Amino acid sequence: MKIYKPREELRPYVRYYWTLKSDESFSILTFPIGCPQMIFHRGSPLYIPELSSRQNQFTVSGQVNFPAHIASDGDTEMVVAVFYPHTIGLFLDTPPSVFYNQEISGYDIENRQLSQLADQIFDCPGSESAVSLIEQWLTARIKPSLNIKRIGAALSAMLRFPSASVDTLASVACLGRKQFGRMFRECVGMNPKEYGRIVRFQRALRMMQLGSRDYADITYANGYADQSHFIREFRQFSGLTPVQLVEYQTPYSDLFTHPQLSEY
């Protein structure tokens, strides 16, 4: 797996790109990461048992609130663009709420230019060329937006304090409560309270990733009412209790981890 840094003008909108090429079959348990993705399968698409379906060759993956397994048959070549929680709508001209708890074929969005990009990626010689094509396509469609800046400021506050009230977040965004809730859903794809629960789960994962097994401390640090509340929500988003997850695989928080990014 390789991870690539976006070019400078795209860094406010794209977290990173990653590519994977493998001839080995695998199955991985995945969690809500809080960030939408564009996924291009240059090999066989991944199978998702929970949805009883395969991803499309070109898939847009939105905000989700449930865990899922992904399985490869051993012919994997993926190119993935990972966006910030609130920015993918800028490039698709489609409300992110359309992708809520779904993985939709990018061809079904009926964006001719996007479909042409996908075709070019499937025909290009390699993954690095594919990343370059994505970069060119996204750069040509950058549209700075005051609403994106406002929701971005509220998200920054939420990442620091996931239990912050909607009123507090609305104040950070300089918006009324109702207007903030509507704008947050339009940009992120789910309401602020639900997204805050995902942030809280990801922060707990990060503490576990760093080695903490003091679940009382994790409960307190992330604003859960008590350990029962923590375990209940953790199980909802991961399918396992914290203790079971540690036994099953190494905890990893995508939302709170800054991967080592390479130039391509």
Side-chain angles (χ1 to χ4, degrees):
M1 181 176 178
K2 294 183 179 180
I3 301 177
Y4 299 96
K5 181 190 302 183
R7 62 177 63 170
E8 186 172 355
E9 57 266 46
L10 283 169
R11 290 174 197 169
Y13 311 102
V14 181
R15 291 186 65 203
Y16 58 87
Y17 312 97
W18 61 268
T19 64
L20 174 66
K21 187 171 184 178
S22 175
D23 296 327
E24 298 182 3
S25 60
F26 60 80
S27 177
I28 299 173
L29 175 63
T30 65
F31 317 125
I33 68 170
C35 295
Q37 304 170 81
M38 285 187 193
I39 304 168
F40 301 89
H41 288 287
R42 289 164 51 85
S44 297
L46 300 178
Y47 180 71
I48 305 174
E50 286 80 0
L51 300 178
S52 300
S53 66
R54 288 188 178 273
Q55 292 179 329
N56 191 270
Q57 189 176 19
F58 170 31
T59 292
V60 178
S61 180
Q63 300 286 1
V64 300
N65 61 8
F66 60 88
H69 292 81
I70 54 173
S72 165
D73 61 10
D75 177 26
T76 303
E77 186 176 356
M78 301 173 64
V79 180
V80 181
V82 182
F83 294 82
Y84 283 99
H86 60 307
T87 57
I88 194 171
L90 284 176
F91 302 100
L92 302 185
D93 296 321
T94 301
S97 56
V98 171
F99 313 120
Y100 176 66
N101 275 348
Q102 296 191 65
E103 298 199 323
I104 293 177
S105 168
Y107 291 112
D108 289 345
I109 298 174
E110 298 183 354
N111 182 317
R112 185 165 58 88
Q113 291 81 11
L114 186 60
S115 296
Q116 289 173 345
L117 169 66
D119 292 340
Q120 290 174 341
I121 286 173
F122 299 137
D123 290 338
C124 75
S127 296
E128 290 191 1
S129 297
V131 172
S132 181
L133 286 169
I134 297 171
E135 290 262 275
Q136 295 171 28
W137 192 89
L138 293 174
T139 301
R141 287 158 180 80
I142 294 174
K143 296 180 295 185
S145 162
L146 178 59
N147 290 348
I148 289 297
K149 290 182 179 179
R150 285 174 166 171
I151 297 304
L155 283 165
S156 294
M158 185 182 287
L159 290 174
R160 295 192 303 271
F161 308 104
S163 297
S165 69
V166 174
D167 286 335
T168 297
L169 297 172
S171 178
V172 170
C174 300
L175 295 168
R177 180 187 175 97
K178 288 185 178 180
Q179 187 181 18
F180 171 71
R182 175 181 56 78
M183 194 177 295
F184 192 97
R185 285 191 297 275
E186 287 177 357
C187 293
V188 177
M190 59 173 51
N191 69 53
K193 285 188 176 180
E194 184 175 23
Y195 191 77
R197 293 172 62 215
I198 290 173
V199 171
R200 189 162 55 188
F201 164 71
Q202 284 284 332
R203 283 191 79 206
L205 269 182
R206 178 60 175 169
M207 292 180 70
M208 294 168 62
Q209 177 183 339
L210 294 175
S212 175
R213 298 295 180 265
D214 185 340
Y215 299 118
D217 183 51
I218 294 173
T219 295
Y220 175 77
N222 293 291
Y224 292 100
D226 52 40
Q227 286 196 58
S228 294
H229 181 208
F230 165 52
I231 293 171
R232 183 168 63 252
E233 287 208 352
F234 196 95
R235 192 198 298 269
Q236 177 183 342
F237 292 129
S238 72
L240 302 167
T241 68
V243 173
Q244 289 170 337
L245 176 65
V246 170
E247 294 174 349
Y248 184 76
Q249 65 186 43
T250 302
Y252 179 83
S253 167
D254 185 281
L255 189 61
F256 286 93
T257 300
H258 301 284
Q260 294 295 317
L261 304 176
S262 303
E263 303 286 355
Y264 61 92

